[in-house]
């Protein structure tokens, strides 16, 4: 068996490099992305005296990864598993307080979210979907995810608008 494999690989060097590449890709996916230790999120608010707290993916992970497995209006027939810290734990770690959050995305979209959402709904700031870091070219680095399947109210426009992806900043007031 091994001999046959070895012979195949000498005959087809492309196969060998293909295999190596596939292995690297498989290994790479669940591991942290290159930007794991870069600051990706700032949290500003009334208590920070002009120095917003910043978080890397590693910092966010360290807050305790929670899981929401749910359908969403954006993921078709799939039922992805989202993981990330609870939004309220991120705000607590930033040592901020306030009744209203303004969440801003890298694409310029921004939305207001009442703090009560974070308190009431176990909203997470997802940084992974199905075990892979959220891709910054689509929904990454972070995506506000509600447990949509637990209550039909969560798929109304109000909560869809609050489901902001590409999150880079939170302002609390
Ligand atoms: N970063 C970012 N998040 C976003 C948006 C956006 O444009 N950018 N659109 C919001 C709005 S208005 C809604 S209704 C939902 C769904 O957007 P869609 O209807 O374009 O899928 O995502 C929200 N999250
Ligand atoms: Mo919307």
């Amino acid at each position: 068996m091994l001999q046959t494999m070895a012979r195949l690989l000498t005959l087809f060097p492309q196969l060998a490099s293909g295999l190596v590449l596939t292995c690297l890709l498989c290994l790479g996916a669940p591991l942290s992305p290159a930007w794991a230790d870069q600051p990706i999120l700032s949290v500003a608010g009334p208590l920070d005296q002009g120095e917003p707290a910043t978080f890397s993916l590693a910092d966010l992970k360290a807050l305790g990864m929670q899981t929401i497995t749910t359908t969403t209006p954006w993921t078709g027939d799939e039922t992805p598993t989202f993981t990330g810290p609870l939004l309220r734990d991120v705000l607590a770690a930033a040592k901020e307080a306030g009744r209203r959050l303004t969440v801003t995305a890298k694409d310029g979209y921004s939305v207001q979210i009442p703090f009560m959402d974070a308190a009431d709904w176990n909203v997470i700031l997802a940084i992974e979907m199905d075990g892979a870091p959220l891709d910054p070219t689509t929904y990454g680095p972070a995506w506000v995810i509600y447990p949509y399947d637990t209550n039909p109210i969560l798929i109304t426009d109000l909560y869809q608008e609050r489901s902001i992806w590409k999150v880079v900043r939170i302002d609390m007031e």
Side-chain angles (χ1 to χ4, degrees):
M1 171 65 191
L2 274 177
Q3 270 182 342
T4 326
M5 284 262 297
R7 193 170 309 145
L8 266 176
L9 291 182
T10 34
L11 283 175
F12 303 103
Q14 314 91 300
L15 191 63
S17 54
L19 275 178
V20 169
L21 193 65
T22 314
C23 291
L24 285 177
L25 287 175
C26 293
L27 281 173
L31 292 178
S32 301
W35 61 93
D37 291 313
Q38 310 282 319
I40 49 128
L41 173 76
S42 324
V43 181
L47 305 179
D48 66 19
Q49 290 160 337
E51 278 293 323
T54 60
F55 296 86
S56 65
L57 286 179
D59 296 333
L60 293 172
K61 267 193 182 178
L63 296 178
M65 295 286 267
Q66 306 292 314
T67 296
I68 295 180
T69 299
T70 182
T71 61
T72 81
W74 309 279
T75 45
D77 293 336
E78 309 285 314
T79 308
T81 295
F82 296 92
T83 38
L86 288 169
L87 180 56
R88 61 175 176 269
D89 288 349
V90 177
L91 303 172
K95 300 192 171 63
E96 279 304 341
R99 278 190 292 182
R100 188 173 67 169
L101 321 177
T102 304
V103 186
T104 307
K106 209 167 42 187
D107 61 7
Y109 179 84
S110 104
V111 69
Q112 289 183 345
I113 300 181
F115 176 76
M116 286 308 285
D117 273 16
D120 290 348
W121 286 113
N122 291 335
V123 175
I124 68 169
L125 191 64
I127 54 176
E128 293 179 0
M129 183 165 70
D130 293 332
L134 282 174
D135 183 346
T137 65
T138 53
Y139 299 115
W143 186 357
V144 171
I145 293 287
Y146 290 74
Y148 307 100
D149 287 346
T150 64
N151 193 316
I153 200 176
L154 294 177
I155 52 164
T156 57
D157 286 353
L158 183 65
Y159 294 98
Q160 287 194 33
E161 282 168 20
R162 295 176 185 173
S163 300
I164 174 172
W165 49 81
K166 292 182 191 255
V167 171
V168 290
R169 185 179 174 96
I170 300 174
D171 288 271
M172 213 171 175
E173 61 189 325

